[in-house]
């Protein structure tokens, strides 16, 4: 789209050249459904009273929907909140569990997800994804992904530490019984190593595929990694002190637009991509001597 920042229009051409020759190159498609400008203009801030607080996070596992499934706001007690809902029609839910690790193997795969905004991904445990004895979930939970991407017009360098849902207050037994696929993590700046976002993705089965319900709490769990350990950073620290409510609102809006763009785009090709590349031989049984 011509409304995309110049940097993103340059990036999509770089990504197109990089992915040429890859076996999955035919899935690279810059005809994304959303024009980012029109998507941003669709959404006004929601009433903060409709935001889900971290203490009530298990409500995401209840049947039905919350009052607001897509929206953003600044919270009265600090930080911002983003909610996003995207349907994946005719896509098996196992494809989402597979995608969480498959895209992180090389940066070219990562660019499929958002051809304009995604630059690179690198894992801290590359040997894990090649282990045929691990489940899809075990190939991403516990890993750290170093990400370079554009959120809005800003290029950011972040780290995503994928963790089990229990660390975020979610009941893992309820998740298992409901057949939900999770992608939960802490998002940190790369420099300084400041944890700034609590990120929750929950894929819930539907009659014709699944729906992805995502939540981001921005600037509410600040932690600083230092050579001497991890320190709690006060909510009124330098990072948030530089962000007035208007700027924080813009960050939340950009995050919502990014999420809606990349996951709606992913919903359009994940099914056939998984059908072609998501099947792998089962682990060989161990034979005793």
């Amino acid at each position: 789209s011509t409304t995309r920042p110049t940097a993103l229009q340059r990036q999509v051409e770089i990504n197109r050249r990089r992915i040429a020759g890859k076996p999955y190159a035919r899935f690279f498609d810059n005809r994304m459904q959303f024009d980012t400008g029109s998507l941003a203009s669709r959404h006004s801030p929601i009433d903060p009273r409709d935001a889900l607080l971290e203490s009530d996070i298990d409500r995401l596992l209840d049947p039905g929907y919350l009052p607001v499934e897509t929206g953003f706001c600044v919270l009265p007690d600090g930080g911002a909140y983003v909610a996003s809902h995207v349907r994946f029609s005719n896509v098996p839910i196992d494809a989402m569990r597979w995608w969480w690790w498959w895209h992180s193997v090389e940066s070219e795969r990562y660019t499929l997800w958002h051809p304009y905004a995604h630059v690179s991904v690198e894992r801290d445990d590359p040997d894990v994804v090649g282990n045929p004895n691990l489940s899809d979930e075990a190939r991403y939970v516990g890993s750290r992904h170093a990400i370079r991407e554009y959120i809005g017009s800003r290029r950011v360098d972040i780290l995503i530490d994928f963790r089990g849902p229990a660390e975020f207050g979610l009941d893992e037994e309820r998740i298992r019984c409901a057949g939900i696929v999770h992608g939960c993590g802490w998002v940190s700046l790369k420099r300084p190593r400041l944890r700034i976002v609590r990120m929750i993705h929950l894929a819930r089965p539907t009659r014709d595929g699944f729906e992805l319900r995502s939540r981001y709490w921005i600037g509410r769990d600040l932690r600083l990694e230092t050579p001497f350990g991890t320190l709690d950073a006060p909510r009124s620290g330098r990072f948030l002190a530089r962000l007035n409510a208007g700027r924080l609102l813009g960050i939340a809006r950009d995050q919502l637009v990014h999420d809606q763009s990349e996951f709606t785009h992913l919903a359009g090709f994940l099914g056939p991509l998984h059908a072609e590349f998501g099947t792998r031989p089962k682990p060989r049984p161990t034979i005793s001597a």
Side-chain angles (χ1 to χ4, degrees):
S1 165
T2 56
T3 64
R4 296 184 191 278
T6 302
L8 273 68
Q9 294 188 52
R10 285 198 299 263
Q11 188 62 49
V12 73
E13 295 308 320
I14 293 170
N15 290 342
R16 193 193 312 278
R17 292 193 296 270
R18 287 166 55 195
I19 207 167
K22 294 290 183 179
Y24 46 81
R26 69 183 182 86
F27 292 98
F28 184 88
D29 187 355
N30 67 307
R31 295 169 299 175
M32 299 183 72
Q33 178 175 331
F34 285 130
D35 174 288
T36 54
S38 63
L39 180 61
S41 67
R42 271 186 224 173
H43 294 289
S44 299
I46 65 172
D47 187 327
R49 290 174 295 184
D50 288 328
L52 178 69
L53 298 181
E54 299 94 324
S55 57
D56 296 326
I57 197 170
D58 240 17
R59 291 179 62 196
L60 286 169
L61 304 181
D62 293 342
Y65 300 95
L66 297 178
V68 174
E69 290 287 339
T70 299
F72 67 97
C73 67
V74 170
L75 297 170
D77 60 344
Y81 171 78
V82 176
S84 180
H85 177 268
V86 176
R87 294 189 181 278
F88 286 66
S89 298
N90 302 312
V91 182
I93 197 169
D94 285 346
M96 194 71 238
R97 186 182 288 109
W98 168 82
W99 174 258
W100 283 126
W101 70 263
W102 187 86
H103 81 268
S104 66
V105 172
E106 54 187 357
S107 294
E108 289 79 5
R109 298 183 185 185
Y110 186 55
T111 68
L112 295 174
W113 198 354
H114 197 315
Y116 290 89
H118 287 181
V119 180
S120 64
V121 60
E122 184 177 358
R123 293 177 62 121
D124 68 345
D125 56 354
D127 293 340
V128 167
V129 292
N131 186 339
N133 296 307
L134 294 179
S135 67
D136 287 332
E137 186 175 303
R139 294 181 181 211
Y140 67 89
V141 174
S143 69
R144 168 174 280 188
H145 299 181
I147 299 292
R148 177 169 288 176
E149 66 181 355
Y150 287 90
I151 304 292
S153 60
R154 301 182 308 276
R155 197 178 79 174
V156 297
D157 288 283
I158 58 174
L159 302 170
I160 301 179
D161 289 285
F162 283 95
R163 296 288 184 262
E167 185 169 323
F168 299 87
L170 290 161
D171 187 324
E172 293 195 0
E173 181 62 18
R174 290 184 68 190
I175 287 176
R176 185 188 66 78
C177 290
I180 290 172
V181 170
H182 58 83
C184 306
W186 301 110
V187 182
S188 306
L189 300 176
K190 198 170 182 180
R191 293 186 182 83
R193 292 286 180 86
L194 181 65
R195 191 176 81 186
I196 56 172
V197 178
R198 177 192 298 241
M199 177 185 76
I200 303 293
H201 297 293
L202 298 175
R204 184 168 64 179
T206 61
R207 289 182 179 179
D208 67 342
F210 67 91
E211 57 187 351
L212 186 67
R213 301 166 73 215
S214 302
R215 299 293 186 274
Y216 306 84
W217 291 268
I218 303 170
R220 293 173 61 80
D221 292 290
L222 299 181
R223 290 257 182 120
L224 183 66
E225 284 189 29
T226 75
F228 311 102
T230 302
L231 306 174
D232 286 329
R235 202 172 289 177
S236 59
R238 293 181 181 178
F239 174 73
L240 285 184
R242 294 200 300 267
L243 298 179
N244 58 35
R247 187 177 175 196
L248 193 56
L249 199 64
I251 290 172
R253 179 186 286 107
D254 286 347
Q255 179 58 50
L256 175 60
V257 171
H258 185 91
D259 178 287
Q260 289 268 296
S261 298
E262 67 179 356
F263 281 111
T264 300
H265 187 59
L266 180 63
F269 69 85
L270 181 57
L273 179 77
H274 178 256
E276 185 169 341
F277 296 99
T279 56
R280 55 188 173 88
K282 295 181 180 180
R284 294 179 180 178
T286 301
I287 301 175
S288 303

